[in-house]
């Protein structure tokens, strides 16, 4: 499965080419924006300055754990040839997406707490929304693709390598990137057409799409329509695909006669099922809490679960439940320790 690196590199190139699109449109549309908005105010998770300061170290710790854990997952999969299979190929991309997903919001939040400033520029807000929706949507699609991968592995094991060939895996990944880019780009372009009022305070720790739309003074019909239609389409379709895949998986597992065979089959998708449950469970919880709460501060606090906690737990779920990942991490650490030992010996000789 060495050829799986080719579509991954290709998608990296696509990503580098597409991330400049929002900046081009922002610079183009700035002259047409009649409101001359230059900045927004992020009110954060608390109105009290002392409470905001107390949040710095917990969030910094969670961000470092998220970044380090997911980075180790990516490095372990890349360096171990035994893990060059479709399942781990998509898992490495999910870990990369989680790193980028948390990096779009938490560093800015930590900077604001440290500098005691709640300001984010207009361009910075648009860029943050773009990347947040991009990598959030990419997580949705990758989890769906991984569910399909497990469906093929369990329900059609003899044809697994034929169906999940490197070219098809590259197409699935490329499609996930393109759909995520188009989704985030659509919402950003619709934001550019809005005129904003004098009150530019966002009851959140990052530029959340719905709250930015609510600050607008101009007609928001197209924006609201796009949010509900696109979110419903890109939310319901992947979730339906996941549920269908696991319904077929459960049916196939129940047909296995031996208990050991059932356990072995279920263990191959247990980690993914845990991540899916955590991801969609927290997203649903945030949606229900925001619908029931009278203010948006409760929604902001609840959103910490899927923006920070879920990406932080993913490496632990896959690492602790997967023997192959444990072995790959052991090899990675031993290789790093050996390299450090050689460098130390070389310096001592000098």
């Amino acid at each position: 499965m060495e050829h799986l690196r080719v579509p991954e590199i290709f998608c990296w190139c696509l990503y580098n080419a597409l991330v400049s699109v929002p900046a081009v449109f922002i610079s183009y549309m700035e002259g047409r924006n009649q409101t001359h908005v230059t900045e927004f105010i992020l009110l954060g998770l608390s109105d009290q300055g002392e409470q905001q300061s107390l949040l710095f170290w917990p969030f910094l710790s969670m961000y470092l754990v998220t970044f380090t854990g997911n980075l180790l997952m990516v490095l372990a999969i890349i360096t171990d040839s035994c893990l060059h299979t479709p399942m781990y190929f998509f898992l490495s991309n999910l870990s990369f997406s989680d790193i980028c997903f948390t990096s779009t919001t938490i560093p800015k939040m930590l900077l604001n707490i440290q500098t005691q400033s709640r300001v984010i520029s207009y361009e910075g807000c648009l860029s943050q929304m773009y990347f947040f929706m991009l990598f959030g949507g990419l997580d949705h699609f990758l989890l769906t693709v991984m569910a399909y991968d497990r469906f093929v592995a369990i329900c059609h094991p003899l044809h697994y390598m034929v169906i999940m060939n490197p070219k098809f895996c590259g197409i699935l990944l490329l499609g996930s990137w393109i759909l995520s880019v188009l989704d985030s780009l659509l919402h950003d372009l619709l934001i550019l057409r809005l005129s904003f009022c004098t009150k530019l305070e966002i009851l959140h720790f990052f530029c959340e799409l719905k709250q930015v739309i609510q600050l607008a003074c101009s007609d928001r019909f197209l924006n609201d329509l796009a949010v509900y239609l696109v979110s419903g389409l890109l939310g319901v379709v992947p979730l339906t695909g996941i549920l269908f895949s696991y319904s077929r998986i459960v049916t196939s597992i129940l047909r296995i006669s031996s208990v050991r065979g059932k356990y072995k089959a279920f263990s191959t998708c247990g980690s993914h099922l845990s991540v899916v449950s955590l991801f969609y469970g927290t997203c649903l919880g945030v949606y229900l809490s925001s619908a029931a709460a009278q203010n948006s501060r409760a929604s902001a606090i609840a959103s910490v679960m899927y923006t920070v906690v879920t990406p932080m737990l993913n490496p632990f779920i896959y690492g602790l439940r997967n023997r192959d990942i444990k072995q790959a991490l052991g090899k990675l650490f031993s290789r790093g320790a050996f390299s450090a030992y050689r460098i130390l010996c070389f310096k001592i000789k000098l």
Side-chain angles (χ1 to χ4, degrees):
M1 299 301 293
E2 290 288 335
H3 297 291
L4 283 176
R5 291 187 177 183
V6 176
E8 187 175 14
I9 295 173
F10 176 72
C11 288
W12 266 79
C13 296
L14 175 69
Y15 166 68
N16 290 326
L18 289 175
V19 292
S20 59
V21 174
V24 173
F25 275 98
I26 290 173
S27 61
Y28 172 73
M29 293 292 288
E30 272 183 337
R32 300 175 60 185
N33 197 320
Q34 302 297 320
T35 58
H36 302 289
V37 174
T38 58
E39 61 187 28
F40 292 96
I41 307 297
L42 298 175
L43 298 181
L45 298 175
S46 174
D47 293 325
Q48 304 297 325
E50 296 80 5
Q51 294 180 359
Q52 285 276 59
S53 300
L54 292 175
L55 294 174
F56 179 83
W57 291 110
F59 274 86
L60 177 61
S61 301
M62 287 190 290
Y63 176 69
L64 292 177
V65 170
T66 302
F67 189 93
T68 305
N70 284 286
L71 181 60
L72 287 175
M73 292 284 289
V74 174
L75 293 176
I77 293 171
I78 290 176
T79 56
D80 193 338
S81 59
C82 296
L83 299 183
H84 292 173
T85 62
M87 181 179 73
Y88 295 111
F89 171 66
F90 293 123
L91 177 58
S92 64
N93 282 274
L94 179 66
S95 295
F96 171 75
S97 178
D98 282 340
I99 292 174
C100 298
F101 184 60
T102 54
S103 297
T104 59
T105 55
I106 303 305
K108 177 60 179 176
M109 174 190 178
L110 296 175
L111 179 64
N112 285 357
I113 293 175
Q114 191 68 15
T115 59
Q116 296 184 352
S117 170
R118 300 186 176 187
V119 173
I120 183 171
S121 66
Y122 177 72
E123 296 82 1
C125 187
L126 287 176
S127 299
Q128 189 180 68
M129 284 191 296
Y130 173 81
F131 287 112
F132 182 82
M133 290 184 289
L134 169 63
F135 293 111
L138 187 60
D139 273 0
H140 278 276
F141 291 121
L142 286 176
L143 289 173
T144 307
V145 170
M146 292 171 73
Y148 176 74
D149 172 75
R150 293 298 84 203
F151 159 71
V152 176
I154 294 175
C155 299
H156 306 282
L158 299 179
H159 300 92
Y160 177 69
M161 298 305 297
V162 176
I163 298 174
M164 300 302 293
N165 59 77
K167 182 179 179 181
F168 185 60
C169 291
I171 292 174
L172 290 175
L173 182 61
L174 181 61
S176 299
W177 272 102
I178 291 176
L179 289 175
S180 301
V181 167
L182 293 178
D183 172 43
S184 55
L185 190 58
L186 170 65
H187 290 299
D188 252 25
L189 292 177
L190 289 176
I191 288 291
L192 290 170
R193 59 179 287 275
L194 295 177
S195 299
F196 292 92
C197 306
T198 54
K199 184 180 179 182
L200 300 174
E201 295 180 343
I202 301 175
L203 275 170
H204 222 297
F205 62 92
F206 65 93
C207 285
E208 202 269 333
L209 177 64
K210 289 184 179 180
Q211 295 205 29
V212 173
I213 293 175
Q214 290 174 0
L215 296 177
C217 294
S218 56
D219 182 31
R220 307 189 302 242
F221 175 75
L222 284 179
N223 297 80
D224 292 332
L225 182 65
V227 168
Y228 288 111
L229 287 182
V230 177
S231 299
L233 182 64
L234 299 184
V236 173
V237 172
L239 182 59
T240 303
I242 292 173
L243 294 176
F244 173 77
S245 297
Y246 273 102
S247 65
R248 297 293 299 274
I249 288 173
V250 170
T251 303
S252 298
I253 291 177
L254 292 177
R255 291 174 182 172
I256 301 174
S257 57
S258 66
V259 177
R260 184 177 180 181
K262 290 181 179 179
Y263 175 78
K264 185 178 180 181
F266 182 77
S267 63
T268 61
C269 57
S271 298
H272 177 260
L273 185 60
S274 300
V275 171
V276 168
S277 302
L278 184 63
F279 184 81
Y280 281 98
T282 53
C283 289
L284 182 62
V286 170
Y287 174 78
L288 294 177
S289 65
S290 61
Q294 297 297 322
N295 55 57
S296 301
R297 183 58 56 77
S299 174
I301 296 173
S303 66
V304 173
M305 286 298 298
Y306 75 89
T307 56
V308 185
V309 177
T310 301
M312 180 183 68
L313 293 179
N314 285 352
F316 293 99
I317 293 174
Y318 276 101
L320 295 176
R321 296 175 60 93
N322 194 301
R323 184 177 60 184
D324 295 333
I325 292 292
K326 290 180 182 179
Q327 292 177 351
L329 287 173
K331 293 178 183 178
L332 181 65
F333 285 127
S334 61
R335 192 180 297 115
F338 180 71
S339 300
Y341 175 74
R342 291 184 61 183
I343 294 173
L344 181 61
C345 292
F346 180 74
K347 288 185 177 180
I348 291 175
K349 290 179 180 180
L350 293 178

